[in-house]
Amino acid sequence: RAWLTEDTPSFDYGGCVVGARREQAVLLCKSPGVLCGRPFVDAVFSELGCSVEWLHCEGEELRPICEVARVSGPARRLLLGERVALNCMARASGVATAARRLAEIKRRLGWKGQVVGTRKTTPGFRLVEKYALLVGGIGTHRHDLSSMVMLKDNHIWSVGGIQGAVHRARQAAGFSIKIEVECRSVDEARSAAQAGADVVMLDNFTPKALEPASRALKSQFPQLLVEASGGVKETTLPGYMIEGVDVISMSAPTQGYKCVDFSLKVRKPGRDPRNPKVTSSL
């Protein structure tokens, strides 16, 4: 509802032109990608009294140009929901498509850990982007600051040291919430584990430095979860998929994704919903 209000804060002038006669529109996918965002599109059009008939499943890989869904309802309300629904689906599908590529790398290499997306999401759009990560086949890490304690360098510097920060965190969080500590060396990671951290993040380690560090930590603390993070890209991801690393966190799936192109066109005889390029103006 807030998305719709943002797009139509007062009056829909264009809606006066088309009125309330019942129409059907076709939702087309015009670039390759993983279909994602069906629940959100359903919610948008349901709010407007329209119905959606889906022709493809959530998570399905689409090849353009293909018909994804049919949307029926009063013409004015179809157009009220058009841009909001398309914006949401384009972005959700973009995240899911990027996540699917990462999941495929993991599958191909047979790595047993988890690739996850970070909290670096679009303000106000986190639920959609985190959902899209799952549809694409990777994990979500923590959803927000209330989901898990993560002590980063600023926390530790403010308190004065890792052990003091972990002890304070355990007092605040109790026994039921995991504590993770960002570390820049094996010694820092050992200090965190000895203080009671459940997870250590080896931040900005190269694959060459990560392998012996994770092996040493797992040898001393077998139950400790080791996360690799910091500048990991799709092209460099395979190098981080080593034994001893349990989690690889990446911001790329929610910060550098390419949107999938969708369009919504009212069906009319003699009109091509694919909206082909104009090749001649004369």
Side-chain angles (χ1 to χ4, degrees):
R1 186 173 296 174
W3 293 342
L4 291 166
T5 301
E6 177 188 52
D7 203 36
T8 314
S10 58
F11 187 72
D12 175 22
Y13 295 95
C16 291
V17 176
V18 298
R21 66 178 178 274
R22 194 159 187 84
E23 298 277 15
Q24 185 181 82
V26 57
L27 177 62
L28 297 175
C29 177
K30 299 167 69 177
S31 65
V34 173
L35 175 61
C36 182
R38 280 182 39 166
F40 307 103
V41 172
D42 283 340
V44 168
F45 283 115
S46 176
E47 180 71 19
L48 295 167
C50 301
S51 61
V52 183
E53 176 191 359
W54 292 98
L55 306 177
H56 291 271
C57 297
E58 190 84 324
E60 188 175 340
E61 295 191 8
L62 302 176
R63 293 287 176 264
I65 295 175
C66 67
E67 189 173 332
V68 178
R70 295 167 188 152
V71 188
S72 301
R76 182 178 69 84
R77 291 180 172 269
L78 287 177
L79 302 184
L80 272 173
E82 174 189 5
R83 180 45 51 197
V84 173
L86 293 178
N87 284 351
C88 183
M89 177 159 279
R91 286 158 176 77
S93 297
V95 173
T97 301
R100 182 66 55 83
R101 292 196 302 269
L102 304 178
E104 177 58 25
I105 293 172
K106 175 190 167 183
R107 186 202 64 77
R108 190 172 67 246
L109 295 180
W111 186 62
K112 304 302 182 185
Q114 292 190 59
V115 179
V116 301
T118 69
R119 216 174 87 250
K120 295 179 182 178
T121 54
T122 306
F125 205 61
R126 179 173 296 173
L127 175 64
V128 180
E129 290 176 336
K130 288 285 193 177
Y131 167 80
L133 293 174
L134 296 174
V135 171
I138 67 173
T140 64
H141 210 283
R142 59 176 178 164
H143 184 76
D144 50 39
L145 291 174
S146 302
S147 301
M148 181 178 73
V149 180
M150 182 183 288
L151 301 175
K152 299 175 74 68
D153 49 13
N154 286 325
H155 298 91
I156 294 163
W157 296 343
S158 295
V159 172
I162 288 175
Q163 295 213 347
V166 173
H167 291 156
R168 287 193 186 187
R170 183 58 69 196
Q171 287 178 332
F175 69 90
S176 62
I177 298 179
K178 286 186 176 181
I179 297 175
E180 178 170 9
V181 180
E182 179 184 88
C183 303
R184 294 279 294 166
S185 69
V186 174
D187 285 343
E188 286 186 354
R190 286 197 181 102
S191 180
Q194 289 165 352
D198 304 287
V199 189
V200 293
M201 176 201 291
L202 300 181
D203 185 45
N204 281 326
F205 278 55
T206 64
K208 182 179 179 180
L210 181 64
E211 195 277 330
S214 60
R215 185 174 63 246
L217 291 168
K218 283 291 190 179
S219 175
Q220 188 174 355
F221 307 99
Q223 303 306 314
L224 184 69
L225 291 178
V226 175
E227 175 183 338
S229 187
V232 183
K233 296 179 173 58
E234 182 179 339
T235 54
T236 61
L237 177 60
Y240 292 85
M241 292 180 164
I242 59 181
E243 187 176 354
V245 174
D246 303 290
V247 180
I248 302 172
S249 57
M250 304 176 62
S251 61
T254 54
Q255 283 199 320
Y257 60 88
K258 181 180 180 181
C259 291
V260 178
D261 187 12
F262 293 95
S263 68
L264 186 74
K265 297 296 180 183
V266 173
R267 284 192 184 278
K268 287 295 177 183
R271 302 295 183 182
D272 188 349
R274 295 173 301 173
N275 197 26
K277 291 283 188 183
V278 176
T279 56
S280 175
S281 60
L282 298 177

